[in-house]
Amino acid sequence: MGQHTVLILRGLPGSGKSTLAKLLSSLTGAPVFSIDSYFESESGEYHFDHRKNHLAYKECEKNTRSALEQNIPFVIVDNTFTLEWEIKPYEDLAKEFGYLFSVVTVENRHGGKNIHKISEEQIEKMKSKYKIVL
């Protein structure tokens, strides 16, 4: 790829972020960090607890920092990233370590459903906050 890169995959639940992240990882060997990983058990079961969301954010940032400290050339971060403040720490990490920083928005054009059982009402709230930066 040339320059070391941090790739942010953002999109609403069910858009296919995790599927794309896994595909890219399998093709490149890049690690994938996600807030969702914090809530997954060893067997892969997902148990979200909103009271621990701040811990999930901290762990994802910590894991990303560790990968950049290890000079891993391509790092993927997968999350909804509906708000700019959620993206900013990763942009700052990329700058700190001299990585190219790219954000890709994944859209649900395949009609997928979110696997974490997030209600349509909650997804609509997320849509209303979602901003595209040009």
mmCIF file of all heavy atoms in Angstrom, residues 25-45:
data_model
loop_
_atom_site.group_PDB
_atom_site.id
_atom_site.type_symbol
_atom_site.label_atom_id
_atom_site.label_comp_id
_atom_site.label_asym_id
_atom_site.label_seq_id
_atom_site.Cartn_x
_atom_site.Cartn_y
_atom_site.Cartn_z
ATOM 1 N N SER A 25 -9.528 -7.423 6.028
ATOM 2 C CA SER A 25 -8.547 -8.049 6.907
ATOM 3 C C SER A 25 -8.029 -9.360 6.327
ATOM 4 O O SER A 25 -6.831 -9.639 6.356
ATOM 5 C CB SER A 25 -9.156 -8.284 8.288
ATOM 6 O OG SER A 25 -8.230 -8.939 9.123
ATOM 7 N N SER A 26 -8.941 -10.158 5.775
ATOM 8 C CA SER A 26 -8.521 -11.448 5.203
ATOM 9 C C SER A 26 -7.627 -11.254 3.981
ATOM 10 O O SER A 26 -6.746 -12.066 3.722
ATOM 11 C CB SER A 26 -9.733 -12.308 4.850
ATOM 12 O OG SER A 26 -10.407 -11.797 3.716
ATOM 13 N N LEU A 27 -7.829 -10.171 3.246
ATOM 14 C CA LEU A 27 -7.021 -9.895 2.056
ATOM 15 C C LEU A 27 -5.671 -9.267 2.385
ATOM 16 O O LEU A 27 -4.704 -9.430 1.634
ATOM 17 C CB LEU A 27 -7.786 -8.971 1.102
ATOM 18 C CG LEU A 27 -9.051 -9.545 0.471
ATOM 19 C CD1 LEU A 27 -9.814 -8.464 -0.281
ATOM 20 C CD2 LEU A 27 -8.717 -10.706 -0.450
ATOM 21 N N THR A 28 -5.608 -8.522 3.498
ATOM 22 C CA THR A 28 -4.410 -7.746 3.798
ATOM 23 C C THR A 28 -3.676 -8.166 5.063
ATOM 24 O O THR A 28 -2.534 -7.762 5.268
ATOM 25 C CB THR A 28 -4.768 -6.255 3.954
ATOM 26 O OG1 THR A 28 -5.627 -6.108 5.103
ATOM 27 C CG2 THR A 28 -5.448 -5.705 2.715
ATOM 28 N N GLY A 29 -4.353 -8.915 5.936
ATOM 29 C CA GLY A 29 -3.764 -9.264 7.223
ATOM 30 C C GLY A 29 -3.882 -8.160 8.258
ATOM 31 O O GLY A 29 -3.338 -8.262 9.356
ATOM 32 N N ALA A 30 -4.600 -7.090 7.923
ATOM 33 C CA ALA A 30 -4.760 -5.963 8.840
ATOM 34 C C ALA A 30 -5.604 -6.354 10.048
ATOM 35 O O ALA A 30 -6.607 -7.059 9.904
ATOM 36 C CB ALA A 30 -5.425 -4.792 8.116
ATOM 37 N N PRO A 31 -5.226 -5.865 11.228
ATOM 38 C CA PRO A 31 -6.088 -6.080 12.390
ATOM 39 C C PRO A 31 -7.328 -5.199 12.272
ATOM 40 O O PRO A 31 -7.285 -4.131 11.656
ATOM 41 C CB PRO A 31 -5.217 -5.645 13.566
ATOM 42 C CG PRO A 31 -4.275 -4.638 12.977
ATOM 43 C CD PRO A 31 -4.035 -5.087 11.557
ATOM 44 N N VAL A 32 -8.417 -5.666 12.862
ATOM 45 C CA VAL A 32 -9.661 -4.902 12.900
ATOM 46 C C VAL A 32 -9.998 -4.637 14.357
ATOM 47 O O VAL A 32 -10.067 -5.567 15.165
ATOM 48 C CB VAL A 32 -10.826 -5.679 12.245
ATOM 49 C CG1 VAL A 32 -12.135 -4.897 12.381
ATOM 50 C CG2 VAL A 32 -10.522 -5.991 10.796
ATOM 51 N N PHE A 33 -10.211 -3.374 14.684
ATOM 52 C CA PHE A 33 -10.609 -2.988 16.032
ATOM 53 C C PHE A 33 -12.016 -2.416 15.964
ATOM 54 O O PHE A 33 -12.357 -1.677 15.048
ATOM 55 C CB PHE A 33 -9.625 -1.980 16.617
ATOM 56 C CG PHE A 33 -8.226 -2.513 16.655
ATOM 57 C CD1 PHE A 33 -7.248 -1.972 15.847
ATOM 58 C CD2 PHE A 33 -7.901 -3.592 17.463
ATOM 59 C CE1 PHE A 33 -5.954 -2.474 15.856
ATOM 60 C CE2 PHE A 33 -6.615 -4.110 17.480
ATOM 61 C CZ PHE A 33 -5.640 -3.546 16.680
ATOM 62 N N SER A 34 -12.822 -2.785 16.954
ATOM 63 C CA SER A 34 -14.220 -2.389 16.948
ATOM 64 C C SER A 34 -14.716 -2.210 18.378
ATOM 65 O O SER A 34 -14.293 -2.945 19.283
ATOM 66 C CB SER A 34 -15.053 -3.471 16.251
ATOM 67 O OG SER A 34 -16.420 -3.206 16.367
ATOM 68 N N ILE A 35 -15.603 -1.267 18.573
ATOM 69 C CA ILE A 35 -16.236 -1.092 19.872
ATOM 70 C C ILE A 35 -17.044 -2.341 20.205
ATOM 71 O O ILE A 35 -17.090 -2.790 21.340
ATOM 72 C CB ILE A 35 -17.113 0.195 19.887
ATOM 73 C CG1 ILE A 35 -16.246 1.439 20.111
ATOM 74 C CG2 ILE A 35 -18.142 0.146 20.985
ATOM 75 C CD1 ILE A 35 -15.473 1.930 18.977
ATOM 76 N N ASP A 36 -17.659 -2.955 19.188
ATOM 77 C CA ASP A 36 -18.463 -4.162 19.393
ATOM 78 C C ASP A 36 -17.658 -5.313 19.990
ATOM 79 O O ASP A 36 -18.207 -6.134 20.731
ATOM 80 C CB ASP A 36 -19.092 -4.633 18.080
ATOM 81 C CG ASP A 36 -20.259 -3.772 17.652
ATOM 82 O OD1 ASP A 36 -20.847 -3.076 18.507
ATOM 83 O OD2 ASP A 36 -20.585 -3.790 16.456
ATOM 84 N N SER A 37 -16.381 -5.382 19.690
ATOM 85 C CA SER A 37 -15.547 -6.478 20.190
ATOM 86 C C SER A 37 -15.566 -6.558 21.714
ATOM 87 O O SER A 37 -15.478 -7.641 22.289
ATOM 88 C CB SER A 37 -14.103 -6.315 19.720
ATOM 89 O OG SER A 37 -14.036 -6.353 18.329
ATOM 90 N N TYR A 38 -15.665 -5.415 22.357
ATOM 91 C CA TYR A 38 -15.691 -5.356 23.819
ATOM 92 C C TYR A 38 -16.864 -6.151 24.391
ATOM 93 O O TYR A 38 -16.764 -6.715 25.478
ATOM 94 C CB TYR A 38 -15.761 -3.900 24.284
ATOM 95 C CG TYR A 38 -15.677 -3.736 25.772
ATOM 96 C CD1 TYR A 38 -14.436 -3.650 26.400
ATOM 97 C CD2 TYR A 38 -16.819 -3.660 26.552
ATOM 98 C CE1 TYR A 38 -14.353 -3.501 27.771
ATOM 99 C CE2 TYR A 38 -16.746 -3.510 27.922
ATOM 100 C CZ TYR A 38 -15.507 -3.434 28.534
ATOM 101 O OH TYR A 38 -15.424 -3.295 29.897
ATOM 102 N N PHE A 39 -17.957 -6.184 23.652
ATOM 103 C CA PHE A 39 -19.185 -6.805 24.143
ATOM 104 C C PHE A 39 -19.369 -8.248 23.668
ATOM 105 O O PHE A 39 -20.403 -8.849 23.926
ATOM 106 C CB PHE A 39 -20.399 -5.961 23.733
ATOM 107 C CG PHE A 39 -20.350 -4.562 24.289
ATOM 108 C CD1 PHE A 39 -20.024 -3.493 23.476
ATOM 109 C CD2 PHE A 39 -20.591 -4.327 25.629
ATOM 110 C CE1 PHE A 39 -19.958 -2.203 23.984
ATOM 111 C CE2 PHE A 39 -20.528 -3.048 26.154
ATOM 112 C CZ PHE A 39 -20.210 -1.979 25.331
ATOM 113 N N GLU A 40 -18.384 -8.787 22.979
ATOM 114 C CA GLU A 40 -18.468 -10.165 22.491
ATOM 115 C C GLU A 40 -17.758 -11.114 23.451
ATOM 116 O O GLU A 40 -16.652 -10.829 23.911
ATOM 117 C CB GLU A 40 -17.839 -10.278 21.096
ATOM 118 C CG GLU A 40 -18.675 -9.607 20.038
ATOM 119 C CD GLU A 40 -18.034 -9.664 18.655
ATOM 120 O OE1 GLU A 40 -16.939 -10.246 18.510
ATOM 121 O OE2 GLU A 40 -18.632 -9.098 17.730
ATOM 122 N N SER A 41 -18.395 -12.233 23.712
ATOM 123 C CA SER A 41 -17.782 -13.252 24.566
ATOM 124 C C SER A 41 -16.779 -14.052 23.749
ATOM 125 O O SER A 41 -16.685 -13.899 22.524
ATOM 126 C CB SER A 41 -18.874 -14.179 25.116
ATOM 127 O OG SER A 41 -19.420 -14.950 24.058
ATOM 128 N N GLU A 42 -16.043 -14.928 24.417
ATOM 129 C CA GLU A 42 -15.076 -15.805 23.740
ATOM 130 C C GLU A 42 -15.750 -16.625 22.637
ATOM 131 O O GLU A 42 -15.149 -16.909 21.613
ATOM 132 C CB GLU A 42 -14.423 -16.747 24.748
ATOM 133 C CG GLU A 42 -13.519 -16.055 25.742
ATOM 134 C CD GLU A 42 -12.183 -15.684 25.134
ATOM 135 O OE1 GLU A 42 -11.684 -16.433 24.273
ATOM 136 O OE2 GLU A 42 -11.638 -14.639 25.532
ATOM 137 N N SER A 43 -17.016 -17.003 22.859
ATOM 138 C CA SER A 43 -17.741 -17.828 21.886
ATOM 139 C C SER A 43 -18.399 -17.001 20.777
ATOM 140 O O SER A 43 -19.061 -17.547 19.902
ATOM 141 C CB SER A 43 -18.800 -18.673 22.594
ATOM 142 O OG SER A 43 -19.762 -17.837 23.216
ATOM 143 N N GLY A 44 -18.229 -15.653 20.843
ATOM 144 C CA GLY A 44 -18.769 -14.797 19.799
ATOM 145 C C GLY A 44 -20.157 -14.255 20.069
ATOM 146 O O GLY A 44 -20.743 -13.586 19.225
ATOM 147 N N GLU A 45 -20.704 -14.530 21.246
ATOM 148 C CA GLU A 45 -22.031 -13.996 21.601
ATOM 149 C C GLU A 45 -21.899 -12.518 21.963
ATOM 150 O O GLU A 45 -20.947 -12.118 22.617
ATOM 151 C CB GLU A 45 -22.610 -14.763 22.779
ATOM 152 C CG GLU A 45 -22.954 -16.201 22.451
ATOM 153 C CD GLU A 45 -23.503 -16.944 23.663
ATOM 154 O OE1 GLU A 45 -24.268 -16.330 24.436
ATOM 155 O OE2 GLU A 45 -23.146 -18.111 23.833
#
